[in-house]
Amino acid sequence: MDRIFQDKIQNLKKQNLYRDQNSINERLSRQKELINFSSNDYLGLAEHSIAKIFNINSIDYSNSDSDSIKLMQIPFGSSGSRLTTGTHLEHKELEDCISNWKASKDTIVFSSGYLANLGALSALIDKEDVVFIDELAHSCMWDALRINNVRKYIFAHNDSQELKTLIQKYRHQYTNSFIITESVFSMDGDIAPLGDLKAIADEYSSFLYIDEAHSTGIYGITGAGLISEYKEKNPRQGFSNLIQMGTLSKAIGLEGGYISGSSFLIDFLRNKARTYVYSTASSPFLMKIAQHNIQKIIQGNDLRQKLFNNIKYLDSLLTNLQAKNEANIKNKFHWTNFGSPIFTIQFQDINECLTVSNKLLEKGFICTSIRPPTVKIARLRICISSKHSHNEILSFYKALSIALAV
Ligand SMILES: Cc1ncc(COP(=O)(O)O)c(C=O)c1O
């Protein structure tokens, strides 16, 4: 399936419209000797680093190997878009780091997850192509499809049977086909049936585009996400039609987004994803910290264990609360958890949802209510982290029990 993007790149080359990375690589290798006459850094502020801002001149940086001193010199601003002057070594290093982590050939970084989905999907899918998308896929993916007004068929949430029926019926009418979903759903915390989706994608020559925003950092031996966990369990299965999307904004703790996939696919996106080409590159400093955080995640099995332990703890408390089935909270308490860090408590009455959220705030707990149109049914979205102590979870649970009582 890689052939599709190889051909598209060939076409760009024929028209002399292909933007290769060679000039950028050349510039990076000679960074110190070059004087930039193409930057948007009109006042020279993008070059600011911790060392410059705090005027730390007493250290001979040039001779220092210390990581902290090197970090202090990395500029905050990129000064341009990735294809002009914005690419720094830190962008390249982060893209290599994510590719290795996600076992992908290549990766392209965007300044947010929203822009990654918007830019990638609007570049990859043409008018003659077709999309099969889960009804609960994140808004930014729907926005991307709107841009090109692409042909789409919507399957019921996580319903691979309905997906199969639709794809069987319509796939043959179109050139390329894309199945789009999330691995952990942002508002419900439930998990896509990856094995079934992969089998359908393989059978019907479709790309499988998976948003891993909420699974990256959490699943798999190194925390690379649910797809990595799936590959670990099914090492013999090839995954050449896979396109992985992720963010730096959830478990990685920063901001930014990325797409990992085959070399041709990523090369094509570097040429055609408009949110990459026409937007200022992310801060090089941030790119360095992202690498640091990913290394922490890779080595952070203890963090993941703590997280899953906390998830189990809150799950047991809520199960207990439901089992008590106290008269005063009867009929109002509908909660879900699917083993991910996201819990929901759903309310038919939006005001009630807001009231409970406010009561929790009064007691010192932030627990936001999510309302339509973001979701169909209003809910408290509870997110558990490895940072919570059991005491904090217990106090939260007690405040919640009181807030839920009439
Ligand atoms: C599933 C999913 N995809 C994409 C995004 C967008 O990511 P970002 O916040 O980094 O722009 C989000 C964030 O809300 C999300 O939940």
Side-chain angles (χ1 to χ4, degrees):
M1 293 189 70
D2 225 15
R3 193 57 204 259
I4 293 164
F5 296 105
Q6 193 175 5
D7 289 349
K8 289 188 182 205
I9 287 169
Q10 211 45 48
N11 248 338
L12 289 173
K13 284 182 177 167
K14 269 192 214 146
Q15 299 169 67
N16 277 334
L17 292 177
Y18 177 70
R19 297 148 196 248
D20 69 31
Q21 296 291 301
N22 295 341
S23 57
I24 292 174
N25 292 338
E26 155 85 6
R27 181 168 64 67
L28 289 177
S29 67
R30 299 178 52 213
Q31 205 165 19
K32 290 215 167 92
E33 64 191 83
L34 299 175
I35 300 173
N36 192 347
F37 276 95
S38 283
S39 158
N40 294 327
D41 182 22
Y42 302 119
L43 301 176
L45 298 180
E47 285 178 6
H48 274 191
S49 58
I50 293 180
K52 278 208 172 141
I53 289 172
F54 293 102
N55 201 16
I56 307 170
N57 294 319
S58 54
I59 302 165
D60 180 2
Y61 297 116
S62 52
N63 288 328
S64 179
D65 276 339
S66 148
D67 281 347
S68 58
I69 287 174
K70 281 188 191 148
L71 188 64
M72 283 200 280
Q73 295 174 277
I74 297 176
F76 290 127
S78 66
S79 91
S81 64
R82 289 290 304 271
L83 296 179
T84 59
T85 61
T87 296
H88 292 239
L89 271 176
E90 289 75 17
H91 294 98
K92 294 277 188 194
E93 286 169 2
L94 177 62
E95 287 170 345
D96 288 346
C97 164
I98 296 173
S99 297
N100 286 334
W101 193 33
K102 297 262 173 184
S104 261
K105 285 272 186 263
D106 205 353
T107 293
I108 175 173
V109 166
F110 296 75
S111 18
S112 77
Y114 185 96
L115 293 174
N117 271 330
L118 198 70
L121 289 172
S122 59
L124 294 174
I125 304 163
D126 288 332
K127 284 239 155 30
E128 60 273 18
D129 298 338
V130 63
V131 160
F132 299 91
I133 182 168
D134 186 291
E135 63 174 335
L136 294 191
H138 193 267
S139 295
C140 51
M141 296 190 259
W142 294 97
D143 291 352
L145 303 185
R146 247 175 243 135
I147 289 177
N148 290 351
N149 199 15
V150 300
R151 193 76 186 103
K152 56 181 176 295
Y153 296 94
I154 302 161
F155 57 94
H157 179 49
N158 275 344
D159 188 341
S160 37
Q161 206 45 53
E162 188 179 18
L163 166 66
K164 185 152 183 168
T165 308
L166 289 170
I167 210 166
Q168 220 163 20
K169 198 162 169 194
Y170 300 111
R171 164 71 184 97
H172 68 277
Q173 300 173 15
Y174 300 92
T175 310
N176 303 313
S177 160
F178 295 79
I179 297 169
I180 298 177
T181 193
E182 294 173 35
S183 50
V184 171
F185 280 80
S186 61
M187 291 298 138
D188 293 78
D190 56 345
I191 288 167
L194 287 184
D196 294 348
L197 298 180
K198 179 185 173 344
I200 296 170
D202 288 347
E203 187 178 349
Y204 293 92
S205 301
S206 297
F207 288 100
L208 187 53
Y209 183 102
I210 305 212
D211 180 325
E212 289 244 272
H214 293 275
S215 86
T216 300
I218 295 168
Y219 298 95
I221 293 166
T222 61
L226 265 177
I227 291 169
S228 292
E229 189 185 83
Y230 180 85
K231 285 180 178 172
E232 284 155 18
K233 289 181 182 158
N234 303 279
R236 284 159 191 263
Q237 292 189 14
F239 230 141
S240 63
N241 48 357
L242 175 69
I243 305 172
Q244 298 184 68
M245 180 273 169
T247 68
L248 306 179
S249 56
K250 316 294 185 222
I252 298 173
L254 298 165
E255 58 192 53
Y258 57 86
I259 306 286
S260 296
S262 76
S263 305
F264 286 116
L265 178 115
I266 300 302
D267 198 12
F268 177 72
L269 289 179
R270 287 205 173 96
N271 277 268
K272 282 291 181 186
R274 296 173 67 82
T275 56
Y276 173 86
V277 177
Y278 298 110
S279 183
T280 297
S282 305
S283 157
F285 186 80
L286 209 72
M287 300 294 96
K288 192 71 184 178
I289 304 295
Q291 291 169 54
H292 171 83
N293 287 4
I294 291 172
Q295 288 312 324
K296 250 195 138 36
I297 290 172
I298 291 172
Q299 291 148 17
N301 205 28
D302 52 330
L303 292 177
R304 279 186 288 285
Q305 270 171 7
K306 183 131 195 281
L307 172 67
F308 283 110
N309 190 299
N310 282 348
I311 293 169
K312 265 198 197 140
Y313 185 50
L314 181 62
D315 194 285
S316 69
L317 291 174
L318 293 178
T319 305
N320 191 34
L321 182 64
Q322 191 151 45
K324 276 195 212 156
N325 199 18
E326 291 162 353
N328 55 355
I329 59 164
K330 203 164 53 178
N331 300 330
K332 294 200 312 177
F333 186 55
H334 175 62
W335 68 282
T336 61
N337 177 252
F338 300 90
S340 80
I342 301 166
F343 289 67
T344 70
I345 300 182
Q346 299 186 4
F347 296 82
Q348 294 304 329
D349 180 347
I350 296 176
N351 275 333
E352 208 174 305
C353 184
L354 288 172
T355 307
V356 175
S357 174
N358 287 336
K359 281 185 182 170
L360 285 169
L361 192 59
E362 275 166 26
K363 295 281 179 203
F365 300 101
I366 299 171
C367 186
T368 45
S369 54
I370 313 281
R371 285 173 277 172
T374 308
V375 290
K376 277 188 200 150
I377 301 173
R379 67 200 54 193
L380 291 178
R381 181 170 176 268
I382 305 167
C383 293
I384 287 296
S385 125
S386 60
K387 226 179 77 186
H388 291 126
S389 68
H390 273 208
N391 261 346
E392 285 170 336
I393 295 173
L394 185 60
S395 307
F396 169 76
Y397 159 76
K398 285 179 180 165
L400 179 68
S401 315
I402 294 168
L404 285 168
V406 218

